[in-house]
Amino acid sequence: MSAHPVLIRNPMQPDGKPSELLLVHDGRAYQSRPALYYVNGPFVDDRAGGAIAAAMAADGGRGYLNARGEWVVAPTLQDAQPFGPDGLSLFRDQDRWGYRNLKGDVAVAAQYEKAEAFSFGLAAVMIGERKWRYIDTSGQFTFDGFLRHAGPFTAIGLAVARGGTYKCGYIDRSGAWAIAPRFELPAPFSRHGVAPASENGRRFGIINQQGEWVLAPCYDEIDAFNDDGLAWFKADDNQEDYLDAAGIPVIPDCYDLSRTMRHGVAVERAAQMWYRSADDVREFGEAFDWAGDFNTHGFALARAVDQERGPVWGIARLDGTFAVVPADVLEPLPDWDIDIGYPEPGTPLIAFLARDGSIALLDRDARLAFRLRAESEDGVERVALYDETGRQLWQDAPCAGLHTPQPYFSAPPEAFLAEVGHVDELPAYAETMLAATRAKLLNIDALKQAAHDGEKETDDAYAYKSGPDDCFNGYSDTDDEGRLARLVRTRRRIFRMYLGEAELMRYEFLGDDRYPMVLRMLERCVARLSAHFGAPVSDPDYAGAEPDRDTLAWRVGALWLGIAGVHQNGDGDAWQHIWLVCVPSQTAFNAALAGQQPSPFDLT
């Protein structure tokens, strides 16, 4: 039997090129051609001394791969699904579904409009509009008749099905009704002979193989039973727990309990993060402010908070121990969807960004297993893979414009600057804003006409250059003078930190981590501008509008240069900005309106 390969994702690519997977097998690294993007499920033994897996190439084509990264079936298919226990994989070609065996050969020709994976020797296939039948592994139909819905068979030999009515029941392997249709939302039977079900789609209970209620309908939701023989449920009072086969809750007094359980362990995310199981609360000797689900390999990514150390990433293990990552490791490496802690299929490693910019692959003990590093020599960039001893296993071809991952959780404040690359550039940038406002004030007659025509500040005045328009220009001046005052000023967003709802739901600590960063950045900006323009004041007489709350401003001739931090949230999102604004004083603006043109000397 061949050892299964380790999969290592290489995100260090030229701009615009997707990341690719490398394979490490028997101490050697392999790079697929065409490039490998994704392996769909773990590698399985091909029963000929090797291993095979369904996979997707970087261009989106699907095929089958061996442990050395060679395409057994070229990636020209539309889809290729993981191999099941029956040794067959569902594939799609030319808009039809079929099945391939462990050699990659076609076992059942692609002929079905839709099809499902084999489960306990049978698979459901659609042969016409809402006409489903079951086939065996040879492709032969197992019984006569059509079904409008055909679910997978489970270990006890029953499958959810729907015939001529809108209600569902359960059939046996001969196609006979073992439990007559009466359910709106039934789930598959577990190996313990029970299944969650609902007759009205609103209240769920648990039935046995005779269709009798083991637990009468009483809960809002009950998921299918998992591999540990437990089913997640939610009650009216938002209590969340897991039920055993008798319908008895096994983890009492839980709220916001994860629907994912592996090795009998789930995460309770209400208040403090706890790992919970049916028999205890896993005590790790650490206070977690973020805890990921346990994976199939028996460990999980978590972040501990320590008064002295601050946030510390590490690996939580089933025995209740917590392995802190090495000192040179910065943070977990997010994927394209900003998810973290999910190993590649069949690979018990988690990718981290190291402080030197390399990517460290750590095992369940937080020990280094592999390292990807971007290297440059004589102006040539390339990526290399090293094992835990520092031995080079692979080196990519030279490339230009190599993109390397940047910190996400530990992003430096400069990463959120919008108009300048560094705080030291701020005085020069402010001078350009002052010059722009001086020019507008000297050209006040043209702006009067624009204000009369109803023009307002343009989008350019808000400098939306770094993301969605998450600042609402709610001004609704109805008079010419109010519109004119806003046209004269120059306003720029110099710092933009935005967190979407999905980010905040997944990583609640991010808001707490980044808010102090904004305050520190604001202090740095004020200090740098003060060194250039002198001490600021807190009560500038802006023309046309009150300054933002907590504004600090510098008087520069007849103009004000102001800075303010804005913190807002809505619809689950949160944003924290720093704005720089250049505004005439009320006196200078009134004089301009009266036709008293200020001299260039007064504006400096």
Side-chain angles (χ1 to χ4, degrees):
M1 182 178 71
S2 172
H4 295 184
V6 171
L7 303 177
I8 298 176
R9 184 163 298 280
N10 174 24
M12 299 180 179
Q13 303 288 339
D15 289 339
K17 184 179 178 182
S19 64
E20 68 173 301
L21 282 175
L22 304 173
L23 299 88
V24 178
H25 179 62
D26 290 340
R28 295 185 60 186
Y30 298 92
Q31 184 178 24
S32 299
R33 287 292 179 262
L36 174 63
Y37 180 73
Y38 179 71
V39 171
N40 196 359
F43 277 80
V44 298
D45 296 327
D46 63 7
R47 301 175 187 172
I52 189 172
M56 182 173 76
D59 65 1
R62 311 298 179 97
Y64 295 85
L65 202 74
N66 66 22
R68 294 183 300 278
E70 299 164 339
W71 291 99
V72 177
V73 176
T76 59
L77 304 174
Q78 293 172 289
D79 205 344
Q81 294 295 307
F83 283 94
D86 295 291
L88 294 176
S89 165
L90 183 64
F91 78 96
R92 186 182 183 211
D93 189 24
Q94 298 182 14
D95 295 329
R96 288 292 184 266
W97 291 90
Y99 299 86
R100 290 180 181 263
N101 61 26
L102 293 170
K103 295 180 181 180
D105 297 333
V106 174
V108 179
Q111 57 189 293
Y112 307 112
E113 295 181 30
K114 293 182 180 179
E116 301 294 336
F118 273 91
S119 179
F120 292 92
L122 299 180
V125 296
M126 192 172 80
I127 60 173
E129 182 66 25
R130 300 176 69 187
K131 291 183 178 181
W132 288 86
R133 296 189 67 178
Y134 285 93
I135 60 172
D136 60 23
T137 55
S138 67
Q140 300 299 309
F141 292 118
T142 55
F143 51 81
D144 295 330
F146 303 109
L147 296 163
R148 294 193 176 187
H149 171 78
F153 278 90
T154 64
I156 66 165
L158 298 182
V160 175
R162 183 158 66 93
T165 70
Y166 74 94
K167 294 284 188 176
C168 292
Y170 294 83
I171 61 172
D172 62 22
R173 295 175 68 89
S174 71
W177 291 105
I179 301 174
R182 72 176 202 263
F183 305 104
E184 281 197 21
L185 294 172
F189 270 90
S190 74
R191 67 177 185 275
H192 302 290
V194 291
S198 172
E199 291 181 326
N200 58 16
R202 297 185 300 275
R203 306 296 281 177
F204 287 79
I206 297 176
I207 60 172
N208 61 21
Q209 296 177 64
Q210 289 72 46
E212 302 165 337
W213 293 108
V214 174
L215 172 69
C218 60
Y219 292 124
D220 290 349
E221 296 178 70
I222 305 179
D223 285 352
F225 281 86
N226 59 27
D227 291 341
D228 297 297
L230 300 175
W232 179 93
F233 78 90
K234 183 176 183 179
D236 289 337
D237 59 357
N238 288 324
Q239 177 191 3
E240 295 174 347
D241 199 344
Y242 281 82
L243 300 169
D244 64 15
I248 299 172
V250 298
I251 309 178
D253 303 322
C254 283
Y255 298 87
D256 199 12
L257 189 66
S258 67
R259 299 175 88 143
T260 300
M261 172 183 280
R262 293 192 181 93
H263 304 282
V265 179
V267 183
E268 183 182 8
R269 294 191 168 95
Q272 198 168 13
M273 303 291 177
W274 296 103
Y275 284 107
R276 303 291 301 268
S277 64
D279 52 1
D280 63 3
V281 177
R282 299 296 168 98
E283 298 286 355
F284 288 86
E286 302 278 356
F288 297 134
D289 66 355
W290 187 86
D293 295 319
F294 269 79
N295 56 44
T296 57
H297 307 289
F299 61 88
L301 177 66
R303 194 177 94 144
V305 179
D306 186 274
Q307 292 286 348
E308 297 180 0
R309 297 176 299 177
V312 178
W313 291 98
I315 306 295
R317 298 172 291 197
L318 287 172
D319 61 2
T321 57
F322 181 70
V324 176
V325 300
D328 70 322
V329 169
L330 182 63
E331 64 180 33
L333 186 67
D335 64 14
W336 64 273
D337 199 30
I338 320 180
D339 283 325
I340 57 174
Y342 292 99
E344 298 292 342
T347 299
L349 302 173
I350 294 179
F352 287 82
L353 182 65
R355 298 182 188 277
D356 64 359
S358 65
I359 296 173
L361 283 301
L362 305 186
D363 64 15
R364 67 183 309 277
D365 299 316
R367 295 178 303 193
L368 180 69
F370 300 95
R371 189 184 296 273
L372 273 170
R373 190 186 301 278
E375 301 173 338
S376 179
E377 184 176 354
D378 298 329
V380 176
E381 294 180 304
R382 61 204 317 165
V383 182
L385 176 67
Y386 298 87
D387 66 13
E388 76 281 6
T389 68
R391 179 173 67 95
Q392 188 181 95
L393 300 178
W394 168 85
Q395 188 177 57
D396 201 2
C399 63
L402 194 65
H403 173 78
T404 57
Q406 299 301 308
Y408 173 71
F409 299 104
S410 308
E414 286 75 15
F416 303 100
L417 288 172
E419 296 296 307
V420 294
H422 194 274
V423 174
D424 289 342
E425 302 171 17
L426 200 53
Y429 186 76
E431 292 285 7
T432 66
M433 293 177 60
L434 288 164
T437 307
R438 291 186 192 109
K440 287 189 279 187
L441 197 59
L442 291 169
N443 194 32
I444 194 72
D445 289 338
L447 290 181
K448 285 181 180 178
Q449 185 60 46
H452 180 72
D453 293 341
E455 292 186 19
K456 294 183 179 181
E457 292 171 301
T458 64
D459 287 343
D460 180 64
Y462 284 81
Y464 293 127
K465 295 184 179 180
S466 51
D469 180 357
D470 51 356
C471 281
F472 174 62
N473 181 3
Y475 300 119
S476 57
D477 301 304
T478 58
D479 63 304
D480 290 357
E481 183 174 329
R483 286 192 290 269
L484 179 60
R486 299 198 182 280
L487 284 172
V488 170
R489 77 178 188 172
T490 305
R491 191 170 186 246
R492 295 287 186 269
R493 181 174 56 198
I494 60 170
F495 182 93
R496 179 187 185 277
M497 183 180 292
Y498 174 85
L499 291 171
E501 181 179 7
E503 292 173 278
L504 286 172
M505 288 183 65
R506 277 181 285 186
Y507 310 114
E508 292 184 17
F509 63 83
L510 262 182
D512 294 335
D513 283 1
R514 290 186 176 178
Y515 180 70
M517 181 194 296
V518 180
L519 298 181
R520 292 193 296 270
M521 175 56 76
L522 183 58
E523 291 175 357
R524 290 174 59 191
C525 292
V526 170
R528 189 66 188 88
L529 291 171
S530 296
H532 186 78
F533 294 105
V537 299
S538 58
D539 56 347
D541 63 325
Y542 283 3
E546 291 294 322
D548 290 328
R549 182 180 177 182
D550 299 325
T551 288
L552 292 175
W554 295 263
R555 185 67 178 260
V556 185
L559 306 179
W560 285 104
L561 176 71
I563 192 170
V566 177
H567 313 279
Q568 294 176 300
N569 58 73
D571 294 330
D573 302 341
W575 51 93
Q576 300 170 357
H577 296 162
I578 298 175
W579 290 89
L580 200 61
V581 60
C582 186
V583 188
S585 68
Q586 189 65 57
T587 301
F589 182 69
N590 290 341
L593 287 179
Q596 301 172 14
Q597 192 67 260
S599 70
F601 179 79
D602 293 331
L603 293 174
T604 59

